[in-house]
Amino acid sequence: MNPLKNCALYSSQFDLEQLHELLRALYPQDRIELNEDKTHITVTHKKWFSKKTKGFNIMTSRTHPEQFTTMMQGMMNFLGQIDANRPLLQEKVLIKCSTLNMVIGIETDEDISEDFFNELLQLADQLDALIFWGGGSLLNAQGQLLLDTNGDSEVEDYTVTAHPSLLDEAQPQSPSGIQRKERSERILTEQGIPFNPHLPARAGEEHTRIRSLDEVARRAVALCLAALKGECLGAGESAEDTAALVQEVIDKYDAGSFFSPTERSFIQQHGAEQQEVISFSWGYEAYHVMLWALGYVQELGAPTQLCNVGQAVGYLQQCDTFEDFISQASFRDASEILDAADLIYRYNWVCVDSRVKGTTPPAGLNGGVAYERHRALNWLICYLDQEWDDVRTDT
């Protein structure tokens, strides 16, 4: 292994205490220091007249959700654009990347020695981690090359594993969940869409909590207003005029407390970066799902087309107050919402699989629409009990 300093470990785990214990076991004779939020660990090895330090800088999907998501999207885009000699292996690596929760950046004043590299392999093995080495080589936990920028690899296959909390198999199987899976697969078959029969049944009514009517109505309004700001800025409206309009609507529905932390930051800032404008504008698709759950929209249908924004916004505009918006809703029952959540889970897998393979999704499926609906429905069914900014769309 050529000496260098640039190295990071990527793991599906996110338990900082577990990582601390692993490092203590790995370096029993050294001094280990943690910063206040436990996201930076320094290991100091002292000799008589010298000392060496190793730093472990940690980011997780829980400690830095927005930064972590942005970083992982960039990493997956980078790996997905490589012309791999083993495309199926590349696909599995990308699927593994979609399960990652933690990155550990290695900090050292010297090149990473063979001894230090072997220590990192022990840590990677305990964390079931990928190792990002140098300028673009991805290694498995045994130090073998999975993929580099030339598309080369040293192994023929890779087994994808993930943290148990990300797998619906960690939830008890139930007859309703199994029946729902079979129903979704029949729909996909009728639509001529190839699906993954190995995706598990999701949790049934027995093990699922559905958001309340009030929660869903608040989320709908928040999504609509954040998307409204994105839409206005994207259309060239001034930051001042956009802020005045959004504030007027916030006041109308007394919606100041409805936003997630990320949405609140976006709403309160002056203007926005282009990527934020695009990202929040997509929120109309999640808002459309909330309208469906509230009974304003009759059918979701397959995720093939963008929603009719004018019509969707009109449902809210016709209500003078937030109380009116709730009173005119007809909340769907849990079974309908779980049906839609199971089906979008399988639709989105098809879209992700197509993106990984560099092909167009079949039957006119729109990957962006599928993703936003999947996120919205996972929030509706309290998937992993995550709040809006942290909702995952695992496939």
Side-chain angles (χ1 to χ4, degrees):
M1 187 62 64
N2 295 327
L4 48 70
K5 299 179 183 179
N6 186 10
C7 175
L9 274 61
Y10 291 83
S11 171
S12 299
Q13 308 295 320
F14 44 64
D15 187 342
L16 294 179
E17 290 299 329
Q18 178 199 21
L19 175 59
H20 303 158
E21 291 301 321
L22 290 174
L23 288 173
R24 290 188 185 100
L26 191 59
Y27 300 107
Q29 305 301 321
D30 296 337
R31 188 176 74 201
I32 297 178
E33 299 172 285
L34 283 66
N35 68 344
E36 186 174 347
D37 64 3
K38 300 181 180 180
T39 59
H40 189 275
I41 301 174
T42 302
V43 177
T44 304
H45 179 71
K46 284 190 174 182
K47 295 185 177 180
W48 280 107
F49 301 107
S50 65
K51 66 178 181 179
K52 291 184 178 181
T53 62
K54 301 165 183 174
F56 299 83
N57 196 36
I58 307 149
M59 181 192 300
T60 78
S61 58
R62 291 183 174 179
T63 59
H64 302 79
E66 189 172 357
Q67 291 173 263
F68 189 85
T69 298
T70 300
M71 178 191 65
M72 290 312 307
Q73 287 174 342
M75 181 176 175
M76 290 183 69
N77 288 338
F78 169 72
L79 295 173
Q81 291 171 7
I82 294 173
D83 184 13
N85 295 327
R86 292 190 172 97
L88 292 179
L89 175 64
Q90 180 185 33
E91 178 180 350
K92 291 183 178 181
V93 168
L94 288 168
I95 292 172
K96 173 67 174 180
C97 288
S98 72
T99 75
L100 297 175
N101 283 300
M102 177 191 292
V103 58
I104 307 166
I106 308 303
E107 299 174 349
T108 175
D109 294 331
E110 302 177 352
D111 289 331
I112 295 175
S113 66
E114 184 175 351
D115 286 344
F116 188 16
F117 180 69
N118 286 330
E119 292 165 359
L120 293 176
L121 287 181
Q122 294 180 54
L123 187 60
D125 182 61
Q126 293 289 328
L127 294 171
D128 188 28
L130 298 173
I131 305 171
F132 198 74
W133 184 263
S137 296
L138 197 67
L139 315 180
N140 63 15
Q142 291 72 48
Q144 299 167 304
L145 179 65
L146 286 174
L147 189 65
D148 65 13
T149 54
N150 296 320
D152 294 330
S153 59
E154 294 176 347
V155 297
E156 294 184 0
D157 202 1
Y158 179 70
T159 300
V160 178
T161 56
H163 191 275
S165 68
L166 301 183
L167 303 176
D168 277 310
E169 292 164 311
Q171 295 284 349
Q173 289 285 318
S174 66
S176 64
I178 294 170
Q179 291 170 6
R180 192 164 279 117
K181 175 182 187 294
E182 293 171 349
R183 170 191 171 276
S184 295
E185 291 177 345
R186 284 196 300 272
I187 291 173
L188 293 170
T189 299
E190 291 166 0
Q191 294 174 346
I193 297 175
F195 58 87
N196 181 358
H198 302 297
L199 290 181
R202 307 196 74 180
E205 286 91 331
E206 305 91 329
H207 309 292
T208 304
R209 179 178 75 85
I210 305 296
R211 302 280 177 179
S212 69
L213 169 61
D214 187 70
E215 285 180 286
V216 177
R218 287 168 176 261
R219 178 99 307 271
V221 173
L223 286 164
C224 184
L225 293 180
L228 175 63
K229 177 173 180 176
E231 179 191 15
C232 290
L233 293 176
E237 298 289 339
S238 70
E240 292 75 15
D241 289 347
T242 297
L245 172 62
V246 171
Q247 188 58 52
E248 182 181 344
V249 183
I250 290 174
D251 292 342
K252 179 178 180 180
Y253 299 107
D254 195 20
S257 64
F258 295 178
F259 301 103
S260 72
T262 301
E263 288 169 336
R264 184 173 296 110
S265 176
F266 175 68
I267 291 292
Q268 292 177 348
Q269 70 183 359
H270 180 79
E273 297 294 329
Q274 182 62 22
Q275 187 54 50
E276 288 181 304
V277 167
I278 295 170
S279 177
F280 280 98
S281 295
W282 270 103
Y284 278 130
E285 298 303 323
Y287 166 61
H288 181 74
V289 173
M290 301 304 158
L291 289 174
W292 171 82
L294 293 167
Y296 283 98
V297 171
Q298 296 306 307
E299 297 289 341
L300 277 181
T304 56
Q305 296 180 339
L306 300 177
C307 69
N308 184 323
V309 171
Q311 184 180 66
V313 173
Y315 292 119
L316 183 59
Q317 287 177 323
Q318 70 187 7
C319 300
D320 293 328
T321 65
F322 179 68
E323 288 70 24
D324 287 343
F325 185 56
I326 286 185
S327 67
Q328 295 181 36
S330 179
F331 201 45
R332 296 184 185 275
D333 62 33
S335 181
E336 285 184 277
I337 293 173
L338 287 167
D339 284 349
D342 185 272
L343 184 55
I344 197 65
Y345 169 54
R346 301 175 203 285
Y347 275 132
N348 197 29
W349 181 90
V350 175
C351 292
V352 171
D353 185 60
S354 297
R355 184 174 72 247
V356 167
K357 293 178 179 176
T359 60
T360 301
L365 295 179
N366 183 306
V369 175
Y371 168 81
E372 294 296 338
R373 289 191 187 180
H374 192 183
R375 184 185 183 195
L377 283 156
N378 273 1
W379 179 84
L380 280 166
I381 64 172
C382 301
Y383 179 62
L384 301 181
D385 288 324
Q386 292 169 331
E387 294 307 316
W388 181 254
D389 287 342
D390 304 322
V391 175
R392 300 184 63 119
T393 56
D394 303 303
T395 55

